[in-house]
Amino acid sequence: MKKGTRRNNEVRDHYDFSGGVRVKYADRYAEGTNVVVLDPDIARLFPNGQAVNETLRAVAQIVQIQERRRPALRKALHLTAARLRS
């Protein structure tokens, strides 16, 4: 028996989805996952999810350090500007 040709995106005639519910588990899935799709050029830089997480943790630490330094930097700039004005 020779198989008929069909396009990859076509559903076979004998499949019956009449009783199916569209996106039945979508809400439950979205609650339990945190999926992010990377652009291809970025995905090539990271071999797996662990590499992405390690990099994001390092960036988060840098951001936290910068946020802690900002008040001291603002104070120093304010004092310097006050000295220049007097």
Side-chain angles (χ1 to χ4, degrees):
M1 183 170 142
K2 185 177 179 181
K3 293 184 179 183
T5 58
R6 64 181 173 89
R7 294 185 191 145
N8 289 337
N9 61 351
E10 291 180 4
V11 177
R12 293 184 180 186
D13 294 333
H14 64 272
Y15 291 144
D16 180 17
F17 295 107
S18 62
V21 178
R22 191 171 175 88
V23 295
K24 181 176 181 178
Y25 299 104
D27 291 337
R28 193 179 335 170
Y29 179 77
E31 288 174 5
T33 65
N34 198 4
V35 175
V36 176
V37 179
L38 301 175
D39 290 337
D41 59 323
I42 299 299
R44 281 190 290 274
L45 299 173
F46 299 98
N48 53 41
Q50 182 181 356
V52 173
N53 288 328
E54 289 173 1
T55 303
L56 290 175
R57 283 187 184 98
V59 170
Q61 286 179 340
I62 293 168
V63 168
Q64 289 173 346
I65 290 168
Q66 293 299 322
E67 287 176 351
R68 279 182 268 172
R69 290 183 179 175
R70 279 189 193 144
L73 180 60
R74 282 190 198 127
K75 184 177 179 181
L77 290 174
H78 179 70
L79 292 174
T80 303
R83 285 186 199 135
L84 291 174
R85 279 181 263 162
S86 48

